Amino acid sequence: MAAHDVKLTPGGHNETATLDGKNKVLGFWLFLGAETVLFACLFGSYLALRHQTMGGPTGQELFDMKLVALATALLLTSSLTSVLAMVAMNRLQKKQTVFWLVVTVLLGLGFLVLEIYEFIHYVHLGHTFMSSAFGSSFYALVGTHGAHVTFGIVWISTLIFQTVRRGITLEMAPKLFVASLYWHFIDVVWVFIFTLVYLLGKVG
């Protein structure tokens, strides 16, 4: 069916209503596969090097679980608000879509502020990127995730601007959907970081 024959349908899967939309979603799943390999390598390096502290502070001594738990709550809540944005998008509710996307961005910014504060705090305690193999692998893994969160915030902010100007269209729907997929992906990665870095680090 030609793209000009397709109409937006309230409650339908408008992100894959056109061939272009289907291709974008499929291509993005392939991209997420490559991202999964990247993070698998970083997780593997961290788990192999996490005890190589060179006499510096260990994860058990460093990690502030109250701070990490608050950051985790913000990020996981942003995943929920991202879902609500997609529900509103498929109902063709422009204002609600923009509102939930803005909330998602604000929660992501809150997570980033806490992560930056955490990094500064650890550096003051002598845990730097160059202090040990543990430090290098920790900042490489958690920092890469933080960079992904930053990219996601910029990406979704751009889509908010486009949605306000253009509304929900057959072109915008797949863009919003793949951005939501990306946000869920970085949330899932954080769950693994929370478990394998922070919880395992506190156990010792």
Side-chain angles (χ1 to χ4, degrees), residues 12 58 64 103 110 134-135 148:
T58 65
D64 181 348
V103 174
F134 166 52
H148 278 67

Side-chain angles (χ1 to χ4, degrees), residues 9-204:
T9 306
H13 295 284
N14 295 300
E15 67 275 5
T16 54
T18 63
L19 179 60
D20 182 57
K22 290 176 181 175
N23 288 337
K24 283 179 179 173
V25 173
L26 175 61
F28 199 75
W29 276 113
L30 296 175
F31 167 75
L32 289 185
E35 288 283 281
T36 300
V37 173
L38 168 66
F39 276 104
C41 294
L42 291 172
F43 274 111
S45 299
Y46 174 79
L47 292 174
L49 300 172
R50 69 190 184 94
H51 293 301
Q52 308 303 315
T53 60
M54 300 290 288
T58 65
Q60 194 172 26
E61 296 165 334
L62 281 171
F63 297 152
D64 181 348
M65 293 308 292
K66 290 181 181 177
L67 184 69
V68 176
L70 178 58
T72 301
L74 289 177
L75 200 60
L76 294 185
T77 303
S78 75
S79 198
L80 173 63
T81 58
S82 175
V83 170
L84 294 174
M86 291 306 98
V87 171
M89 180 198 75
N90 279 319
R91 291 176 179 170
L92 308 183
Q93 298 169 330
K94 174 182 167 182
K95 287 184 179 179
Q96 287 88 340
T97 302
V98 170
F99 171 77
W100 287 119
L101 289 176
V102 169
V103 174
T104 301
V105 167
L106 292 177
L107 290 169
L109 283 172
F111 171 85
L112 271 184
V113 168
L114 291 178
E115 188 165 83
I116 291 169
Y117 170 80
E118 179 193 24
F119 281 9
I120 294 172
H121 177 62
Y122 292 164
V123 168
H124 285 163
L125 295 176
H127 181 58
T128 68
F129 188 86
M130 299 297 290
S131 62
S132 66
F134 166 52
S136 300
S137 58
F138 171 83
Y139 287 111
L141 172 58
V142 182
T144 299
H145 177 268
H148 278 67
V149 173
T150 304
F151 175 77
I153 289 171
V154 173
W155 186 9
I156 294 174
S157 297
T158 303
L159 292 178
I160 290 171
F161 178 73
Q162 292 181 359
T163 304
V164 169
R165 290 192 61 186
R166 304 176 186 174
I168 299 172
T169 65
L170 286 171
E171 182 185 11
M172 285 300 302
K175 291 182 179 179
L176 292 167
F177 182 72
V178 296
S180 177
L181 278 182
Y182 177 84
W183 198 255
H184 292 314
F185 172 76
I186 59 177
D187 281 358
V188 170
V189 172
W190 180 256
V191 170
F192 280 98
I193 290 176
F194 180 75
T195 305
L196 297 177
V197 175
Y198 293 102
L199 290 183
L200 192 61
K202 290 302 285 185
V203 172

